[in-house]
Amino acid sequence: MLWAASLALFAPLLGAILNGVFGHPFREKAHWPAVIAVGISMLASWWILGRVGFEPVVLDLYTWIPVANFVVPFGFYIDSLTAVMMGVVTTVSFLVHVYSIGYMHGDPGYRRYFAYLNLFVFSMLLLVLANNYALLFVGWEAVGLCSYLLIGFWYEKKSASDAGKKAFIVNRIGDAGFLLGIFTLFATFGSVRYDTVFQMVASNPHLYQGALVAATLFLFLGAVGKSAQFPLYVWLPDAMEGPTPVSALIHAATMVTAGVYMVARSHLLYSEVPQVGQLVASVGAFTALFAATMAMVNDDIKRVLAYSTISQLGYMFVAVGLGAYTAGIFHLYTHAFFKGLLFLAAGSVMHATHGELNMQKMGGFFRKMPHTAWTFLIGALALSGLPPLAGFFSKDEIIKHAYVTGHTFIWAVAVLTALLTAFYMFRLIFLVFFGKPRDAEIYAHLHESPPVMTVPLWILAAASVGAGWVGIGEEHSVFHRFLETALGEFHLVEWTVHRPAGVGLIALSVGVALLGILLAYSLYLLRKPDPALLARRAGFLYTLLKRKYYVDEIYNLFVVGTLRVTAKVLFWGVDRALVDGTVNGTGWTLAATGSVFRRWSSGFLRSYLLWILIGANFLVWFLLRSGGGH
């Protein structure tokens, strides 16, 4: 197990070093070491997936931090949850690497791109394999660094460099909370190792209630930043400035899934503080609906998918917040395939249109891009939750769990979000692939992508259809039984008692998805009523959604503006006036004093005799005056 985990982890790191440090000879062949490295990592991850046992394998490679009582190893924690995450990360990453050969062909930063991509995979695997929170935090920060490098990959564009900085800075807020969570765990349990912390919590959970509330809240703040939940979601839509395969990797297999994984990994902590779990689920439900409403009116093909990711991550947090940890990981697993597919298919559209993102300039693409269109349609159906595609099994399980556990409001929000999801996804489908072309020049130069790009699309499309079947049977399914050893048993409360009600819940969920598709069809193909007319009639509501609830403006006014004013006050009042004023004033005083004494030291004997005479007269005057006083 150790050799396989080490091979899976370090192969992408070796690929990054080969391209980043010694890769000059590769140049336009830089994909070879990168793809081979991730391919080896994928095969090793599959081997672990097939061999993982019922008990976690805890391996310490060496002692990383030995400082007094703070001893942290560099080691692995391998169980079924680790195996699933490794399989998802490496499989999707391998397909993204292969796809990138065609998408990034001819780019001046080709070698740098593959070096960063390999480093991204290594960072996520380090996060997943870590056997303690401190090492997890290293992977956590490393995926943040890689996202900064890849979002701002085309740094010559100001929008790209700004987006990279925005992602990095916003995540620092969440990461500060994550660090506080780690400090709280160490202060409480004297260790940051998973096995030690989990055993101590299991032995006497009531003893640590206050500390667990604080620690889980801090850890969740980190998850809010990394997994783009409200209010720290604002970096993810702007992250679309990076190359599209990077977007697929961030949204499907790395970065944003880290927060969900961390909460699931810490399920023994969150299970003991249900009030924190309720908060996690509430934030997730609100974010799911909030992001879906913005996706309804956005015309940027990649940003629609970005808001979709934020929304689907909200579903995952609903699940883990309500204690359905396996259901949350199940949706993470299925979402990886159809969201990776959707982003890569969007990249195929951009490749054919030379980077065009505005859906209002598209239309009729199905005729010239059948492979892209069919795979995009499969991904949209899976995301909308229609049977028998993967998204149906995982998303409906979350919705159903919210209902049967008595969280009716969260269930209603989840159902409404499902309606909006189907609507905005098929709005995208109808605007891009159906109807008449709205830009003759774009349509005239349209072409299908090469096989190196379309083959990964079809593989992901097949996974988007079949990946959910391992969840058939819910708590009795292959997937749930496999994860039971890592996440505990999962039961849908009273599901067996209310079987007819359960069938009704499924029918309702499928029905609202079909209704969303029908509404999109009516508006964007039949145009009854006309969407432009509806937008005008909606007035402020449409403007509110189009301007993304003015959240960026609010941040700029109250957060960025306040920081800028504070920085100016500190610069002019403290740095310039106080610090520089003190230093410069000291220098001026010494210079002035030196200038005076320099005049006295003229080198002429008569000047010195004059000063001696003046001094002697002053001394005589002083002595006489003092004597007169007596």
Side-chain angles (χ1 to χ4, degrees), residues 7-74:
L7 188 62
L9 176 64
F10 293 113
L13 179 61
L14 178 60
I17 293 172
L18 285 176
N19 265 324
V21 181
F22 307 106
H24 184 69
F26 295 117
R27 297 179 185 174
E28 68 276 4
K29 301 295 183 183
H31 54 271
W32 281 110
V35 172
I36 290 171
V38 176
I40 292 170
S41 181
M42 179 180 67
L43 294 175
S45 297
W46 288 354
W47 189 90
I48 292 173
L49 190 62
R51 300 295 193 281
V52 68
F54 292 102
E55 294 295 326
V57 177
V58 183
L59 303 168
D60 291 349
L61 274 68
Y62 63 90
T63 301
W64 173 36
I65 304 175
V67 181
N69 294 327
F70 188 62
V71 179
V72 181
F74 186 103

Side-chain angles (χ1 to χ4, degrees), residues 35-159:
V35 172
I36 290 171
V38 176
I40 292 170
S41 181
M42 179 180 67
L43 294 175
S45 297
W46 288 354
W47 189 90
I48 292 173
L49 190 62
R51 300 295 193 281
V52 68
F54 292 102
E55 294 295 326
V57 177
V58 183
L59 303 168
D60 291 349
L61 274 68
Y62 63 90
T63 301
W64 173 36
I65 304 175
V67 181
N69 294 327
F70 188 62
V71 179
V72 181
F74 186 103
F76 302 146
Y77 191 94
I78 304 172
D79 60 3
S80 54
L81 175 59
T82 308
V84 168
M85 289 297 297
M86 289 180 69
V88 168
V89 170
T90 56
T91 302
V92 174
S93 297
F94 177 76
L95 294 173
V96 168
H97 275 70
V98 173
Y99 176 96
S100 296
I101 298 172
Y103 189 87
M104 296 297 291
H105 177 71
D107 191 279
Y110 195 69
R111 180 167 64 92
R112 177 167 56 93
Y113 170 82
F114 277 104
Y116 290 168
L117 219 57
N118 268 186
L119 189 62
F120 210 164
V121 178
F122 162 77
S123 302
M124 188 64 188
L125 288 174
L126 179 63
L127 186 156
V128 169
L129 278 164
N131 67 359
N132 61 82
Y133 284 99
L135 189 58
L136 182 149
F137 185 72
V138 174
W140 189 273
E141 289 298 286
V143 293
L145 170 64
C146 293
S147 70
Y148 165 75
L149 295 173
L150 285 165
I151 292 168
F153 180 77
W154 289 313
Y155 56 84
E156 301 90 347
K157 292 169 52 183
K158 188 176 186 303
S159 57

Side-chain angles (χ1 to χ4, degrees), residues 394-480:
S394 57
K395 188 160 69 174
D396 272 41
E397 191 172 295
I398 296 170
I399 294 174
K400 200 160 33 182
H401 185 79
Y403 182 83
V404 299
T405 53
H407 297 90
T408 309
F409 183 73
I410 291 178
W411 166 79
V413 170
V415 170
L416 177 57
T417 304
L419 169 68
L420 301 184
T421 301
F423 173 81
Y424 67 68
M425 281 310 303
F426 276 84
R427 171 181 178 265
L428 185 157
I429 291 288
F430 295 139
L431 283 175
V432 175
F433 296 106
F434 292 88
K436 296 179 180 180
R438 286 180 289 279
D439 190 307
E441 185 177 351
I442 289 177
Y443 187 77
H445 295 90
L446 211 59
H447 58 84
E448 184 59 273
S449 297
V452 74
M453 296 172 65
T454 56
V455 170
L457 292 183
W458 279 111
I459 294 173
L460 287 170
S464 299
V465 173
W469 297 351
V470 295
I472 294 176
E474 293 164 340
E475 67 263 35
H476 305 295
S477 70
V478 173
F479 190 88
H480 287 73

Side-chain angles (χ1 to χ4, degrees), residues 217-274:
L217 282 173
F218 284 136
L219 292 176
F220 179 58
L221 178 57
V224 167
K226 197 66 69 182
S227 293
Q229 296 296 281
F230 184 87
L232 300 181
Y233 70 93
V234 291
W235 66 270
L236 193 56
D238 288 358
M240 299 304 97
E241 291 289 341
T244 303
V246 171
S247 301
L249 196 59
I250 290 175
H251 290 248
T254 59
M255 189 70 172
V256 297
T257 61
V260 179
Y261 165 76
M262 184 274 295
V263 174
R265 171 59 71 202
S266 308
H267 69 280
L268 288 173
L269 310 183
Y270 283 90
S271 296
E272 297 300 334
V273 281

